[in-house]
Coordinates of all heavy atoms in Angstrom, one line a residue:
D1 N 19.9 -87.9 23.5 CA 18.6 -88.3 22.9 C 18.0 -87.1 22.1 O 17.4 -87.3 21.0 CB 17.6 -88.6 24.0 CG 16.3 -89.1 23.5 OD1 16.3 -90.1 22.8 OD2 15.2 -88.5 23.9
W2 N 18.1 -85.9 22.6 CA 17.6 -84.7 21.9 C 18.4 -84.6 20.7 O 17.8 -84.2 19.5 CB 17.8 -83.5 22.8 CG 17.1 -82.2 22.3 CD1 16.3 -82.0 21.3 CD2 17.2 -80.9 23.0 NE1 15.9 -80.7 21.2 CE2 16.4 -80.0 22.2 CE3 17.9 -80.5 24.1 CZ2 16.3 -78.7 22.5 CZ3 17.8 -79.2 24.4 CH2 17.0 -78.3 23.7
A3 N 19.7 -84.7 20.7 CA 20.5 -84.6 19.5 C 20.2 -85.6 18.5 O 20.2 -85.3 17.2 CB 22.0 -84.6 19.9
E4 N 19.9 -86.8 18.9 CA 19.6 -87.9 17.9 C 18.2 -87.6 17.2 O 18.1 -87.9 16.1 CB 19.5 -89.2 18.7 CG 19.2 -90.4 17.8 CD 19.1 -91.7 18.6 OE1 19.8 -91.8 19.7 OE2 18.5 -92.7 18.1
K5 N 17.3 -87.1 17.9 CA 16.0 -86.9 17.4 C 16.0 -85.6 16.5 O 15.2 -85.5 15.5 CB 14.9 -86.7 18.5 CG 14.7 -88.0 19.2 CD 13.7 -87.8 20.3 CE 13.4 -89.2 21.0 NZ 12.4 -89.0 22.1
E6 N 16.6 -84.5 16.9 CA 16.3 -83.2 16.3 C 17.7 -82.5 15.8 O 17.6 -81.5 15.2 CB 15.6 -82.3 17.2 CG 14.2 -82.7 17.5 CD 13.4 -81.7 18.2 OE1 13.8 -80.5 18.3 OE2 12.3 -82.0 18.6
G7 N 18.8 -83.1 16.2 CA 20.1 -82.3 15.9 C 20.4 -82.3 14.4 O 20.2 -83.2 13.7
E8 N 21.1 -81.2 14.1 CA 21.6 -81.1 12.7 C 23.1 -81.4 12.8 O 23.9 -80.7 13.4 CB 21.5 -79.6 12.3 CG 22.0 -79.4 10.9 CD 21.9 -77.9 10.5 OE1 20.9 -77.3 10.9 OE2 22.9 -77.4 9.8
R9 N 23.5 -82.5 12.3 CA 24.8 -83.0 12.5 C 25.8 -82.8 11.4 O 25.4 -83.1 10.2 CB 24.7 -84.6 12.9 CG 26.1 -85.2 13.2 CD 25.8 -86.6 13.9 NE 27.1 -87.2 14.3 CZ 27.2 -88.2 15.1 NH1 26.2 -88.6 15.7 NH2 28.4 -88.7 15.3
T10 N 27.0 -82.4 11.7 CA 28.1 -82.2 10.8 C 29.3 -82.9 11.4 O 29.9 -82.3 12.3 CB 28.4 -80.7 10.4 OG1 27.2 -80.1 10.0 CG2 29.5 -80.7 9.4
G11 N 29.6 -84.1 10.8 CA 30.7 -84.9 11.5 C 30.2 -85.3 12.9 O 29.1 -85.8 13.0
N12 N 31.0 -85.0 13.9 CA 30.5 -85.3 15.3 C 30.0 -84.0 15.9 O 29.5 -84.1 17.1 CB 31.7 -85.8 16.1 CG 32.1 -87.2 15.7 OD1 31.3 -87.9 15.3 ND2 33.4 -87.5 15.9
T13 N 29.8 -82.9 15.2 CA 29.3 -81.7 15.8 C 27.8 -81.7 15.6 O 27.3 -82.0 14.5 CB 29.9 -80.5 15.2 OG1 31.3 -80.5 15.5 CG2 29.3 -79.2 15.7
V14 N 27.1 -81.4 16.7 CA 25.5 -81.4 16.5 C 25.1 -80.0 17.0 O 25.4 -79.5 18.0 CB 24.9 -82.5 17.4 CG1 23.4 -82.5 17.3 CG2 25.5 -83.9 17.0
R15 N 24.2 -79.5 16.2 CA 23.6 -78.2 16.4 C 22.1 -78.4 16.7 O 21.3 -79.1 15.9 CB 23.8 -77.2 15.3 CG 23.3 -75.8 15.5 CD 23.5 -74.9 14.3 NE 24.9 -74.9 13.9 CZ 25.9 -74.1 14.4 NH1 25.6 -73.2 15.3 NH2 27.2 -74.2 14.0
L16 N 21.6 -77.8 17.9 CA 20.2 -77.9 18.2 C 19.5 -76.6 18.3 O 20.2 -75.7 18.9 CB 20.1 -78.7 19.6 CG 20.3 -80.2 19.6 CD1 20.6 -80.6 21.0 CD2 19.2 -80.9 19.1
E17 N 18.3 -76.4 17.8 CA 17.5 -75.3 18.0 C 17.1 -75.4 19.5 O 16.5 -76.3 19.9 CB 16.3 -75.2 17.1 CG 15.4 -74.0 17.4 CD 14.2 -74.0 16.6 OE1 14.0 -74.9 15.8 OE2 13.2 -73.2 16.9
N18 N 17.4 -74.3 20.3 CA 17.0 -74.4 21.7 C 15.7 -73.8 22.1 O 15.6 -72.5 22.1 CB 18.2 -73.8 22.5 CG 18.0 -74.0 24.0 OD1 17.2 -74.9 24.4 ND2 18.6 -73.2 24.9
Y19 N 14.7 -74.5 22.3 CA 13.4 -74.0 22.7 C 13.1 -74.3 24.1 O 12.0 -74.0 24.6 CB 12.3 -74.6 21.8 CG 12.3 -76.1 21.6 CD1 11.8 -77.0 22.7 CD2 13.0 -76.8 20.5 CE1 11.9 -78.3 22.5 CE2 13.0 -78.1 20.3 CZ 12.5 -78.9 21.3 OH 12.5 -80.2 21.2
L20 N 14.1 -74.8 24.9 CA 13.9 -75.1 26.3 C 14.7 -74.1 27.2 O 15.8 -73.7 26.9 CB 14.3 -76.5 26.6 CG 13.6 -77.7 25.9 CD1 14.2 -79.0 26.3 CD2 12.1 -77.7 26.3
T21 N 14.0 -73.7 28.2 CA 14.7 -73.0 29.3 C 15.5 -73.8 30.1 O 15.4 -75.1 30.1 CB 13.8 -72.1 30.1 OG1 13.0 -73.0 30.9 CG2 12.9 -71.2 29.3
Q22 N 16.5 -73.3 30.9 CA 17.2 -74.1 31.9 C 16.3 -74.8 32.9 O 16.6 -75.8 33.4 CB 18.3 -73.3 32.5 CG 19.5 -72.9 31.5 CD 20.5 -72.2 32.3 OE1 20.6 -71.8 33.4 NE2 21.7 -71.9 31.5
T23 N 15.2 -74.0 33.3 CA 14.3 -74.6 34.1 C 13.5 -75.9 33.5 O 13.3 -76.9 34.1 CB 13.2 -73.5 34.6 OG1 13.8 -72.5 35.2 CG2 12.1 -74.2 35.4
D24 N 13.2 -75.7 32.3 CA 12.7 -76.8 31.5 C 13.5 -78.1 31.6 O 13.1 -79.2 31.9 CB 12.3 -76.5 30.0 CG 11.3 -75.4 29.9 OD1 10.4 -75.3 30.8 OD2 11.2 -74.8 28.8
I25 N 14.8 -77.8 31.2 CA 15.8 -78.9 31.2 C 15.9 -79.5 32.6 O 16.0 -80.7 32.8 CB 17.2 -78.4 30.7 CG1 17.1 -78.0 29.3 CG2 18.3 -79.5 30.9 CD1 18.3 -77.4 28.6

């Protein structure tokens, strides 16, 4: 869901700016 909303996609590869800590996730 995060990748769909904010991901930068190249082919099937998706890059996300990570602003969440592991505790947040």
Side-chain angles (χ1 to χ4, degrees):
D1 182 60
W2 190 6
E4 182 180 336
K5 290 179 178 177
E6 296 191 8
E8 179 184 325
R9 185 162 179 164
T10 305
N12 288 330
T13 300
V14 179
R15 187 180 303 273
L16 286 160
E17 178 189 352
N18 186 19
Y19 48 80
L20 298 176
T21 65
Q22 291 185 356
T23 299
D24 291 337
I25 293 173

